Amino acid sequence: MFEPAQLRSFLAVAETLSFTKAAERLGLAQPTVSQHVRKLEAAAKRVLVARDTRDVRLTDNGDAMAGFARSILSAHDAASRYFSGSAMRGRLRFGTADDLAITGLPRILREFRQVYPQINLELTVGQSDQLYKRLNAGQLDLVFVKWVAGAKDGTVVQQDSFAWVGLEQTVLDPAEPVPLIAYPSPSLSRKLAIDALESSGRTWRITCTTRQISGVLAAVRAGIGVAVMPSSLVPDDLLVITRRFDLPAVGDVDFTLIRNPLANTAVIDALTEAIVGRTLKRSA
């Protein structure tokens, strides 16, 4: 009953209260926009726009039509996406390391779901080692994890280096054990931090154990100790203190996508393509 092109022209007029501005927004000639509105009014058998030489305003029926138009166009766009070939279907069990979840990854996943609304995305957040075990057990289809650079096969999305992180006020006595904030074992950053300290002859003690990146950051901000994390994920209120206290280098890290070879290849390819090539900096 109501043509999408006419509804789009009407909404542009409703939002700008100007036929000229509506035409500019849509890239149409002004007479075309006026014609669309007239045809819509004829279809509705109501006056939708009151106009004179000075201004343009919506009638009560025009206000009602604006609400209907937004709903109709939203459903129309959803149907277009569904039948355009982007309506890929299936289930995707996706796991990501919890600190990678504080990057731009949530935005990427949100955009992915908008493009592929028929894919049932199931998200698991955890530690890289645990996610990798679940992948091998067939419980996940694709994981986004951290590994020592070059240690695992997969698609490397980003390379980074681990850094020691603390407060501006952090003070470390070289004669005392390094106070370490870490994930429970097994944990890549925990293992690399301890190995690096022991290889350099530094003693250490665990001052906080936490399973989530939010807990790591809270403990560092509380001055309980120092932590190891990828350089690109260090918040603005914390500092890389590796050189300040002559702490040992921990090593490089790959942010890597690893797939289950038995899972839906097309669905995995779609999400992999959405993530690869995006810079995964810490979210603002």
Side-chain angles (χ1 to χ4, degrees):
M1 180 178 178
F2 301 121
E3 294 290 336
Q6 296 169 12
L7 291 171
R8 293 186 197 282
S9 289
F10 168 73
L11 270 183
V13 172
E15 292 170 358
T16 63
L17 296 180
S18 167
F19 282 82
T20 300
K21 292 179 180 178
E24 292 173 352
R25 174 187 292 188
L26 298 172
L28 299 174
Q30 183 175 330
T32 301
V33 173
S34 298
Q35 184 183 52
H36 284 171
V37 173
R38 284 197 300 271
K39 288 183 176 180
L40 185 62
E41 289 178 323
K45 299 182 176 62
R46 300 287 192 279
V47 175
L48 305 177
V49 179
R51 46 193 177 262
D52 56 33
T53 57
R54 292 171 47 188
D55 58 14
V56 173
R57 61 180 177 81
L58 297 185
T59 64
D60 290 343
N61 286 320
D63 284 330
M65 178 59 79
F68 287 125
R70 292 186 180 95
S71 298
I72 292 169
L73 290 174
S74 177
H76 180 273
D77 291 343
S80 296
R81 289 195 301 270
Y82 184 94
F83 292 106
S84 68
S86 65
M88 189 183 299
R89 299 184 181 210
R91 180 176 69 157
L92 177 55
R93 299 169 300 174
F94 178 58
T96 180
D98 77 322
D99 48 358
L100 295 180
I102 67 170
T103 67
L105 182 63
R107 183 185 68 255
I108 295 172
L109 295 180
R110 182 172 64 250
E111 294 170 354
F112 176 81
R113 294 200 66 211
Q114 290 172 348
V115 176
Y116 299 104
Q118 300 303 310
I119 292 179
N120 181 13
L121 183 63
E122 299 176 5
L123 179 64
T124 299
V125 179
Q127 293 185 31
S128 293
D129 287 332
Q130 297 169 347
L131 295 172
Y132 188 64
K133 289 178 181 178
R134 294 190 62 181
L135 180 80
N136 288 333
Q139 298 172 354
L140 293 172
D141 302 316
L142 181 69
V143 295
F144 191 27
V145 292
K146 305 188 307 295
W147 293 122
V148 175
K152 297 285 185 182
D153 292 332
T155 301
V156 176
V157 177
Q158 185 171 313
Q159 294 182 321
D160 202 348
S161 59
F162 281 114
W164 293 93
V165 180
L167 290 170
E168 171 68 35
Q169 303 92 332
T170 296
V171 175
L172 297 182
D173 186 338
E176 296 293 328
V178 175
L180 184 59
I181 299 164
Y183 293 105
S185 181
S187 159
L188 177 64
S189 58
R190 176 191 179 111
K191 181 181 185 304
L192 292 179
I194 292 173
D195 287 350
L197 288 170
E198 292 184 344
S199 295
S200 66
R202 299 287 293 269
T203 57
W204 55 273
R205 61 187 175 93
I206 299 293
T207 55
C208 178
T209 301
T210 176
R211 295 185 178 276
Q212 298 179 333
I213 184 61
S214 58
V216 172
L217 296 177
V220 175
R221 287 168 175 146
I224 294 174
V226 297
V228 162
M229 64 187 301
S231 300
S232 62
L233 305 186
V234 178
D236 292 338
D237 62 325
L238 300 179
L239 298 177
V240 173
I241 59 171
T242 306
R243 294 183 179 178
R244 179 192 292 186
F245 299 107
D246 196 27
L247 291 166
V250 179
D252 296 328
V253 57
D254 287 341
F255 299 169
T256 306
L257 286 166
I258 306 176
R259 63 177 60 204
N260 181 342
L262 301 180
N264 186 324
T265 300
V267 172
I268 291 176
D269 286 345
L271 183 54
T272 298
E273 183 178 349
I275 295 174
V276 171
R278 305 287 289 270
T279 300
L280 293 168
K281 295 182 178 179
R282 175 186 52 81
S283 295

